[in-house]
Amino acid sequence: MTDVTRESMEYDVVIVGAGPAGLSAAIRLKQIDPELEVVVLEKGSEVGAHILSGAVLDTSGLDQLIPDWKDKGAPITVPVKKDNFYVLGEAGAMRIPNWPMPRLMSNHGKYIVSMGNVCRWMAEQAEALGVEIFPGMAASEIVWDGDRVAGVVAGEFGKNPDGTEGPGYEPGMELRGKYVMIAEGVRGSLAKVMMEKHNLSDGHCPQKFGLGMKEIWEIDPEKHREGTVTHTMGWPLGGNAGGGSFIYHLENNQVYVGFVVHLNYENPHLYPYMEFQRFKHHPMVAELLEGGKRVAYGARAISEGGWQSIPKLTVPGAVLLGCSAGLVNVPRIKGNHNAMLSGIAAAEAAAAAIKGGRSGDELTEYETDLRSGPIAEDLKKVRNVKPMWSKWGMVPSLVLGGLDMWTNDLFGFSLFGTLKHGKSDAKATGEAKNFKPIDYPKPDGKLSFDRLTNVSFSFTNHEESQPCHLKLKDASVPISVNLPKYDEPAQRYCPAGVYEVVGEGDDAKFQINFQNCVHCKTCDIKDPSQNINWTTPQGGDGPNYPNM
């Protein structure tokens, strides 16, 4: 907390984050009671600017929230027509037939979408109901009243690089609510503070994460197959890391090309971004992309812990929604439907509490709903796939994970019970001396690109005169600990080239190019010393994704 004097505004519900979870909560609140005063704070320059998702959308959440979404012109128009799954080798590919796949893995009836555009449309629906949405307003601090979350501080601008108040300093405002909903996405800074203060992860497995990187390509119309969905596993990661790819053909001859690396990899020499670039040179992928052009790039972390890793979701005055709660179904590569369902459930609990004269207490009804309703049904069926992959590798997890999903889907039980996740992704990192460096081919500038060139296609911008939002707990650790022990993996795990080791020996320095940051949060997750704390820069800064 600071001693800055701020004006305050009172609302019934304050929502942090204009993603699918936050917007669903806002819409549902106003559907239940149009008189409720609801505000949504979004750190991006506009709604959708910081949204990055695959995405093949399961519309079950939206069907519940806005049943007539088609009639209302939702940008959800490309149904999945074909589902492909391949295991790649370096020069070839083996297609896995669809028939042995558990039914829940089918994408039939789902849609290829830009979640950025879906969220822009959802924001229009929310505003039409009277929701106030403030983009460019980063919520940088929790307002505490004892142990209760009473609101948030948003809209602080104009600090000097050293953190002092500059000539144009704006202290921001306190936005206070009877209830606060944290829907920041993966590894949000306020969620992290709230979880640590209230020990919300106690009794639950550590959250697990992946790094998802995505490019949008415009390809030769002759090669475009609208509605085709392709997923791959195997090469180039092999035994170095878990993960895989997605290739989705949307409209206008565009293709989403994405690559996910599970962040529990051991070899600190692994370079996730370069694995993605190498993947595009596989004959199957290169043939599709040749003659096309990359038009956008971005990256974000993905919560992968699933059912076992969902923390306690309520504290006095606040709840966690969507990816802040970790509701992604990893085998299905889907979380947007659960984000929407969590927003609906939280809104219904908050509206009932306010109607009953309550304020600032724990919305335990929300947690009960989430752990017994459709989100639980979705996540329980697949709860063992991720720990199987982590413990036994890709092939056993394909076979045993498939069997486990079948028994869960058909009979409602698992032969394996509930497997636990091991250590955190940071602790999974091994020492550099125990692993061989990996030689990555140089990007060719046609199919593969260097990081800084690609970051320019994320349209990222940060005002350079502000304090660095990537805080080191101990500035000496990167060079004194991480460099000799782990070959300072921040140089490689960051998909935006934020971190560099400049110079050698006694002259080595750790440089943070925070202007490049695409807000993926990988550094906060994977740093083996847990020395990097990702915080919000001033509002409006960061990537400006057009239609991710």
Side-chain angles (χ1 to χ4, degrees):
M1 299 294 290
T2 68
D3 56 5
V4 174
T5 302
R6 297 184 170 96
E7 294 182 19
S8 68
M9 295 178 69
E10 298 283 342
Y11 290 88
D12 290 306
V13 180
V14 175
I15 300 170
V16 180
L23 291 170
S24 294
I27 289 168
R28 187 67 190 123
L29 283 161
K30 296 294 272 188
Q31 287 174 339
I32 295 169
D33 183 355
E35 299 304 312
L36 287 172
E37 294 187 340
V38 181
V39 65
V40 179
L41 305 170
E42 167 55 43
K43 68 181 172 66
S45 60
E46 63 169 352
V47 174
H50 290 179
I51 298 291
L52 186 148
S53 186
V56 171
L57 179 65
D58 173 342
T59 62
S60 57
L62 193 58
D63 293 338
Q64 186 172 326
L65 182 70
I66 307 175
D68 57 345
W69 54 263
K70 282 186 181 178
D71 296 335
K72 290 189 172 178
I76 303 172
T77 58
V78 181
V80 175
K81 297 173 183 173
K82 190 175 183 182
D83 229 346
N84 300 317
F85 188 84
Y86 291 91
V87 175
L88 300 186
E90 187 166 358
M94 179 179 70
R95 182 171 180 196
I96 305 295
N98 290 5
W99 62 263
M101 295 278 189
R103 294 174 301 182
L104 59 88
M105 294 291 287
S106 172
N107 284 307
H108 179 73
K110 314 301 185 289
Y111 292 82
I112 300 170
V113 300
S114 156
M115 279 310 297
N117 289 340
V118 170
C119 287
R120 290 180 179 99
W121 175 82
M122 290 179 71
E124 292 172 2
Q125 309 310 302
E127 288 179 322
L129 293 170
V131 175
E132 293 184 43
I133 300 178
F134 296 149
M137 288 280 277
S140 54
E141 195 175 311
I142 292 175
V143 177
W144 295 99
D145 180 5
D147 285 339
R148 176 200 161 202
V149 175
V152 297
V153 173
E156 189 174 31
F157 290 91
K159 283 187 174 181
N160 294 317
D162 63 359
T164 58
E165 297 172 11
Y169 177 69
E170 295 284 345
M173 297 188 70
E174 289 186 357
L175 293 101
R176 292 173 171 261
K178 293 171 183 170
Y179 296 101
V180 177
M181 297 182 179
I182 304 296
E184 299 170 297
V186 176
R187 196 75 165 198
S189 50
L190 299 189
K192 200 172 149 188
V193 169
M194 203 166 88
M195 290 173 73
E196 288 174 357
K197 181 177 177 71
H198 283 275
N199 301 311
L200 299 186
S201 292
D202 285 4
H204 304 276
C205 287
Q207 186 58 265
K208 308 295 286 182
F209 298 92
L211 168 60
M213 298 157 284
K214 176 180 173 182
E215 295 171 355
I216 304 177
W217 280 72
E218 291 178 357
I219 65 168
D220 182 345
E222 294 292 318
K223 301 175 183 177
H224 188 255
R225 302 289 182 267
E226 185 175 301
T228 297
V229 164
T230 299
H231 293 106
T232 77
M233 298 166 66
W235 190 88
L237 291 172
N240 284 323
S245 84
F246 60 86
I247 302 173
Y248 302 155
H249 291 243
L250 60 158
E251 66 265 66
N252 301 324
N253 300 315
Q254 288 196 330
V255 176
Y256 293 149
V257 182
F259 198 79
V260 177
V261 177
H262 300 172
L263 288 176
N264 61 351
Y265 62 82
E266 295 181 352
N267 186 346
H269 301 295
L270 189 85
Y271 195 160
Y273 175 83
M274 290 306 297
E275 296 286 350
F276 176 30
Q277 298 308 302
R278 183 159 61 168
F279 158 76
K280 290 181 291 177
H281 287 273
H282 188 277
M284 186 179 85
V285 185
E287 192 278 329
L288 175 70
L289 299 181
E290 278 169 357
K293 64 176 181 177
R294 169 265 284 117
V295 296
Y297 166 75
R300 64 162 286 188
I302 304 164
S303 60
E304 294 187 338
W307 181 250
Q308 299 91 316
S309 297
I310 298 174
K312 184 173 183 286
L313 298 170
T314 65
V315 303
V319 295
L320 297 173
L321 307 182
C323 283
S324 290
L327 305 181
V328 172
N329 183 315
V330 173
R332 296 181 69 202
I333 322 180
K334 291 176 180 60
N336 291 304
H337 63 301
N338 285 337
M340 293 179 187
L341 290 169
S342 73
I344 293 168
E348 291 175 348
I354 292 168
K355 186 177 180 180
R358 293 162 51 195
S359 175
D361 60 344
E362 291 203 37
L363 291 172
T364 55
E365 305 89 341
Y366 162 61
E367 181 133 15
T368 300
D369 184 305
L370 191 145
R371 293 189 184 275
S372 60
I375 294 173
E377 183 181 352
D378 185 58
L379 295 181
K380 278 184 177 179
K381 290 177 181 177
V382 303
R383 65 190 182 275
N384 289 324
V385 175
K386 169 68 175 177
M388 282 177 174
W389 195 331
S390 299
K391 295 173 193 294
W392 304 325
M394 183 182 76
V395 175
S397 75
L398 266 177
V399 177
L400 297 176
L403 173 65
D404 194 52
M405 285 189 285
W406 267 116
T407 60
N408 273 288
D409 196 29
L410 292 175
F411 310 115
F413 77 92
S414 169
L415 298 170
F416 301 90
T418 299
L419 300 177
K420 302 295 185 185
H421 295 299
K423 47 198 164 187
S424 71
D425 294 334
K427 290 181 179 176
T429 312
E431 294 188 27
K433 66 183 181 183
N434 297 325
F435 297 90
K436 290 182 179 179
I438 302 171
D439 184 26
Y440 290 99
K442 186 178 178 181
D444 68 355
K446 295 175 183 177
L447 293 178
S448 50
F449 313 97
D450 67 83
R451 271 189 304 192
L452 295 186
T453 299
N454 236 359
V455 168
S456 71
F457 282 80
S458 69
F459 313 104
T460 294
N461 183 59
H462 292 86
E463 173 57 55
E464 295 187 24
S465 63
Q466 67 184 300
C468 175
H469 64 280
L470 303 159
K471 313 288 188 187
L472 299 181
K473 297 173 186 175
D474 183 338
S476 70
V477 164
I479 300 302
S480 66
V481 178
N482 284 0
L483 187 59
K485 195 170 182 180
Y486 306 104
D487 193 26
E488 185 45 272
Q491 303 173 90
R492 293 173 294 281
Y493 61 59
C494 173
V498 169
Y499 302 101
E500 289 183 271
V501 173
V502 180
E504 297 180 357
D506 293 339
D507 296 324
K509 290 185 176 63
F510 190 61
Q511 182 168 302
I512 302 176
N513 307 305
F514 75 88
Q515 299 90 341
N516 295 351
C517 178
V518 294
H519 299 197
C520 73
K521 323 283 179 62
T522 301
C523 54
D524 196 300
I525 295 162
K526 187 60 177 171
D527 177 51
S529 298
Q530 285 295 275
N531 189 50
I532 301 173
N533 186 31
W534 191 98
T535 64
T536 53
Q538 67 183 23
D541 288 3
N544 283 282
Y545 296 137
N547 58 332
M548 285 290 196

